[in-house]
Amino acid sequence: MKFGVVVFPGSNCDDDMIHVLGTVMGQEVVKLWHKEESLPGFASGDCIVLPGGFSYGDYMRAGAIARFSPIMNAVIEFANQGGFVWGICNGFQILCEAGLLPGALLRNQHQKFICKNVFLKTQTNNSPITAELSLDQALKIPIAHAEGRFHADEATLQSLQDNDQILFKYCHADGTIDAAANPNGSARDIAGICNAKRNVFGMMPHPERAAEATLGNQDGKGLFTSLLNTVAAEMIG
Amino acid sequence: MQITEPQVTFETAKKLGLTQDEFDKIKSILGRVPNFTELSIFSVMWSEHCSYKNSITYLKKLPREGKRLLVEAGEENAGLVDIGDGLACAFKIESHNHPSAIEPYQGAATGVGGIHRDIFTMGARPIAALNSLRFGNIDLKHTRHLVKGVVSGIGNYGNCFGVPTVGGEVYFNDCYNQNILVNAMSVGIVKVGETVSAVADGPGNPIFIVGSATGKDGIHGATFASADLTEDSADDLPAVQVGDPFQEKLLLEASLEAIKTGAVVGMQDMGAAGITCSCSEMSAKSGTGMLVDLDKVPTRQANMKPFEILLSESQERMLIIGEKGKEHLLEAVFEKWDLECEIIGEVTDTGHIEFMQNGVRVAHVPSEPLVLGGGAPVYQRAYAEPAYVAELKKFNAASIAVPTDFVATAKQLFAAPNIVSKRWVYEQYDSMVRTNSMSTNKPSDAALVRVKGSEKALAVTTDCNSAYVYADPYVGAMIAVSEAARNIVCSGGEPVAITNCLNFGNPYDTGVYWQFVHALKGMGEACEKFNTPVTGGNVSFYNQSIVKQADGSTTTEPVFPTPTIGMLGILDHFSQQMTMDFKAENDIIYLLGETKEDINCSEYLRTVHQVPFSPAPHFDLAEEFKVQKAVKELIAAKLIQSAHDISEGGLFVTLTESAMVNGFGFRVQTEASIRKDAYLFGENQSRVVVSVTPAQQAAFEAALAKTGINSTKLGEVFGTDIEIDAENYGPIKDWKHSYDHTLANKIEVN
């Protein structure tokens, strides 16, 4: 399985993602410049990652300009052909702006940027990045965003729920889900979702920041392992 | 506003902050009367901010040599320390006080941007940021406005730029009511031998300006930073710059890529005094000159005057000397990143900087006399011990009654803004981007930052208790260095070097200058003792707060002398990390160092007894050194589970902070021979609280005995409540709740 990490002007979690995929997980990973117009060498079992950061400074609306970068047409086509696309934080915002995922990410309810560890409850095993995660355990994974309040109309939220597209909800350390555990006021406490075809994932928390013992937290590593094992199993199957 | 260039007389020079002597010196250097543009160049280069004219004599007395130092202090934009494995660390702290006092958001943001540029202009990639912030009384609406602005300015800039803010400090004191202090520090990593110098070698080489276009913002910012703030200072708004972190991120990536092309001869960022400063410093360093055509400088608006282009402090710009014939290599990099990149002139051999506009030479000035270490003026000001010093020595601790209700007293102290968690502040900063922050999940006294590509980690901290420095500048500055070293040692690191940010009042005030001279003496002695040379930093004079008098008139008072220490430490292997939190029930708690009957200058005296001034707490440099050595040995022998130093709030606060991380309680005993408030809340220095498992207790005690330091067995980690002398102080979770939420409640009242 091969990974490509897109570098938009202003991306700043690109190196972190490459470090985890390459050095920690031992996978083949390349940087992709946003001005590229195609994704040569990537096949449907591969994964394109849109990393966190502040693409184009996010002075307008997070991700609103990056979706027009030349590479996004290729990413959309790649996703439509079944390739895996994973957007984290700013990458999630870009995926929503590009229409690859439903909904939008609004300014946090308390209006401030917030960076801290939060807890996530996995909602389904029916996606490559959550297939091997426990549905009972609360994962400690950090967030760092000012615009992370997931929003969609009621019908969209219901269809996300009905189609099992909600991957993660914010919770307390003991796993209970309530408004007090939700750091940004997102609808239905949503922290991450996937598309209907289950090959495009978006999440606000940063699993790449919680994948090494040296940093004292490996709760995020399970998402990477899950993706790799699921895809490997499909290849064999 | 139409700005015309006036005829130059002494009156003009005076308005630009120059003295009669300085004006005469300029005339004799040039052999003629300068024109307005030239006068402006001299005024900014000879301002305190650029020339260090009132401080350099004493800065040169600080220890500035060590086997790890790769550049001499002041030689480059930041200090450079060899950390082994072929890697070096570039680090520096700098103030942005006056801009932040006027426009907190932009002032703080551009302070962060400026210090990061100092690091990456040397070819180092910034991997961590810290900041030291001083605000006035938190109960004032103006203070809360400043806090909110500064924090969101630092946050938005650093978060977008993508460098984690890993540590720092926030203090509140009335002395900073108008004149807040915003000191920002950046830490970067570069391979040894791949650094870039701020030089302009090779006559004929092209001079590039890259990054943002030049606008009218920040003109005379350096001069502005070199005068007292007044009530009219808000009218100086154009002297505050506007930051664009996105542009800075592009400039960072493009600059590091440009260096890799091999076509960069020299590079310097544009900070204070803009193009003027970069041109004069780079050419003076190389003994060359520069011929610059101002018409080629990309500007944000038409018809900018020469002095406006030359003095503009527009942010996110770099001056690059390229290698002739390789211009296209640099241009390709900046085009990739969609950044402006223009050749504005070339290096000459004249020893002069010459600026042209519309084909006319608008300024022609020799470089050497402009710069620090060259011909810039050097002064030693008169100083005398200010009257307050004798006054505060009269304090008698016996006049302070020992509290009868210790639980209530502890609660009151534990809710003091200077004690409580600064969570409301630091959660607005991205502290984890670049995935090197080892302290997020395992807190320690200094911030630990893993260095990728090696097994090393850096330990970084900023420290200064300015109340101590005010009480006794000599001892207070020694304590600032010692506390920084102590924090690094308690985190498992070896202190190696410091950068300093010397925030003082008006240097023409003899009392202020007395504080300055004595603080630097103490700092120097402590740096010698810990073998932590000074690699650079910044001096910020003229920090004065406005005081309204009874008759309605106003005067200004200097802020507390605040020589902030930014210290760098190294862990040769990241597994040497030591943390501050109690790890397990029944672990035994010891205090290393000696507790004195001393409540001097404590937060306890200020908060509980409203005694604002008293002598500095007990401190002995030799004793401090011994305690730190002992802690290092105990960590190396793997005989302790946690280490946390005693600072503001005393033993009680240290114990509670160690306990609440994992929700443990503790039970300890005080000593009857020392008054209990001094024992629990006193701040006598050189003390560290450690915990050990019952299994390692015997080995620990044997090793401890060999160190020869004083120590006390205090008690043990126990249950979930605090218990002192068999009195219950309540559940630790309640203390944690107060600790975590008090600051937010105080700041967000409106």
Side-chain angles (χ1 to χ4, degrees), chain B residues 35-178:
Chain B
N35 66 29
F36 183 74
T37 304
E38 292 165 337
L39 186 71
S40 296
I41 291 173
F42 274 99
S43 82
V44 290
M45 289 308 295
W46 286 5
S47 70
E48 190 66 48
H49 197 76
C50 293
S51 74
Y52 293 89
K53 59 190 171 190
N54 287 313
S55 60
I56 188 67
T57 305
Y58 293 94
L59 297 178
K60 282 187 169 168
K61 292 181 181 174
L62 293 169
R64 297 182 300 159
E65 284 171 3
K67 61 179 170 40
R68 286 181 183 269
L69 301 200
L70 298 174
V71 301
E72 202 179 303
E75 186 187 335
E76 294 290 349
N77 283 290
L80 193 66
V81 173
D82 191 340
I83 62 166
D85 291 350
L87 297 172
C89 175
F91 74 114
K92 189 181 178 187
I93 190 166
E94 205 165 72
S95 63
H96 229 215
N97 303 336
H98 287 179
S100 305
I102 302 297
E103 211 298 79
Y105 180 90
Q106 291 296 348
T110 53
V112 172
I115 195 63
H116 282 315
R117 273 197 305 286
D118 273 339
I119 300 306
F120 71 81
T121 194
M122 295 179 69
R125 178 178 283 281
I127 63 163
L130 299 94
N131 52 68
S132 171
L133 310 178
R134 318 278 162 156
F135 298 102
N137 189 328
I138 199 173
D139 295 326
L140 297 175
K141 193 173 179 182
H142 182 62
T143 296
R144 296 192 295 271
H145 156 74
L146 292 172
V147 172
K148 288 174 191 168
V150 165
V151 170
S152 92
I154 290 173
N156 284 9
Y157 204 101
N159 299 344
C160 181
F161 184 57
V163 172
T165 302
V166 300
E169 45 182 355
V170 184
Y171 282 94
F172 300 92
N173 190 292
D174 289 1
C175 75
Y176 304 111
N177 273 350
Q178 281 81 27

Side-chain angles (χ1 to χ4, degrees), chain B residues 410 414 582 584-590 650-661 663-670 680-681 689-691 714-733 735:
Chain B
F414 204 67
F582 293 151
E585 176 116 12
N586 300 323
D587 279 1
I588 305 129
I589 305 168
Y590 290 82
L651 174 65
F652 177 83
V653 170
T654 297
L655 287 167
T656 307
E657 285 176 344
S658 287
M660 65 190 172
V661 176
F664 289 115
F666 59 87
R667 61 179 175 200
V668 296
Q669 304 80 42
T670 65
L680 289 179
F681 312 127
V689 168
V690 302
S691 63
L714 291 174
E716 54 274 317
V717 180
F718 178 78
T720 53
D721 287 7
I722 295 176
E723 192 186 303
I724 298 171
D725 295 338
E727 182 180 7
N728 191 303
Y729 283 56
I732 195 80
K733 67 171 171 32
W735 291 90

Side-chain angles (χ1 to χ4, degrees), chain A residues 9 11-12 15-16 19 33 35 54 56-57 59 112-115 117 140 142 208-209 212 214-215 217, chain B residues 159-160 162 244-246 249 336-338 427-435 441 450 452 574 748:
Chain A
S11 292
N12 62 32
D15 287 341
D16 303 353
H19 171 75
W33 185 234
K35 288 180 186 172
F54 287 71
Y56 293 93
Y59 291 136
K112 289 198 292 281
F113 182 96
I114 186 157
C115 173
N117 277 325
K140 183 170 84 172
E208 80 280 11
R209 296 184 180 189
E212 291 177 88
T214 314
L215 303 185
N217 183 4
Chain B
N159 299 344
C160 181
D244 179 352
F246 171 58
K249 170 67 174 167
K336 173 188 165 185
W337 289 96
D338 298 319
E427 282 187 349
Q428 296 184 58
Y429 305 149
D430 191 334
S431 54
M432 306 180 209
V433 64
R434 303 208 66 77
T435 58
N441 299 298
R450 173 258 305 266
K452 286 195 182 114
F574 52 73
E748 294 195 339

